[in-house]
């Protein structure tokens, strides 16, 4: 008979523990579900922003390629002019004055 009483006490204590753990889990889920929703929104915004940043970097790369070729062309022109100036002997430009016109 004492074994039955011990078994009843064990099942009673176990039932109370299961109920308390269930209440604790429900309270925890009550706070975690809204936090998970907010986290999902934050992650979605981060994904959107990272896509925009990636697009901006692609645009920057294209601009640098286009402007880089323009800059290279300008540098080539300047270097070519300096090379021609260095090869040719120093010449002075002679400015000729026109004789006064007879009308004056």
């Amino acid at each position: 008979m004492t074994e039955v009483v011990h078994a009843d006490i064990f099942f009673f204590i176990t039932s109370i523990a299961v109920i308390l753990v269930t209440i604790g889990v429900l309270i925890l889920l009550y706070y975690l579900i809204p936090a998970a929703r907010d986290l999902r929104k934050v992650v979605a915004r981060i994904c959107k922003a990272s896509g925009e940043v990636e697009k901006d970097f692609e645009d920057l790369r294209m601009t640098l390629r286009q402007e880089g070729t323009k800059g290279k062309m300008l540098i080539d022109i300047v270097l070519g002019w300096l090379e021609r100036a260095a090869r040719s002997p120093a010449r002075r430009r002679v400015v000729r004055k026109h004789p006064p016109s007879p009308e004056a």
Side-chain angles (χ1 to χ4, degrees):
M1 183 78 175
T2 60
E3 293 175 3
V4 173
V5 173
H6 287 304
D8 285 341
I9 293 173
F10 172 76
F11 286 121
F12 178 74
I13 292 173
T14 305
S15 298
I16 297 294
V18 167
I19 291 171
L20 290 177
V21 168
T22 303
I23 291 173
V25 168
L26 289 176
I27 291 172
L28 184 67
L29 287 176
Y30 178 77
Y31 289 107
L32 285 180
I33 289 174
R37 287 182 186 151
D38 292 340
L39 184 64
R40 186 182 312 157
K41 289 177 186 176
V42 169
V43 168
R45 291 177 101 184
I46 289 173
C47 287
K48 182 180 175 185
S50 67
E52 291 174 1
V53 167
E54 182 180 358
K55 184 181 177 295
D56 289 343
F57 274 117
E58 288 174 4
D59 292 343
L60 178 65
R61 285 180 53 207
M62 289 299 280
T63 302
L64 286 176
R65 283 184 183 161
Q66 291 171 354
E67 297 298 322
T69 57
K70 289 180 186 176
K72 183 181 182 309
M73 193 168 59
L74 181 64
I75 289 172
D76 288 343
I77 291 171
V78 170
L79 289 177
W81 179 77
L82 288 174
E83 186 178 320
R84 281 193 308 267
R87 273 196 230 155
S88 65
R91 295 183 194 167
R92 289 194 146 195
R93 192 171 187 186
V94 178
V95 178
R96 296 184 184 171
K97 293 185 179 180
H98 296 287
S101 65
E103 298 173 357

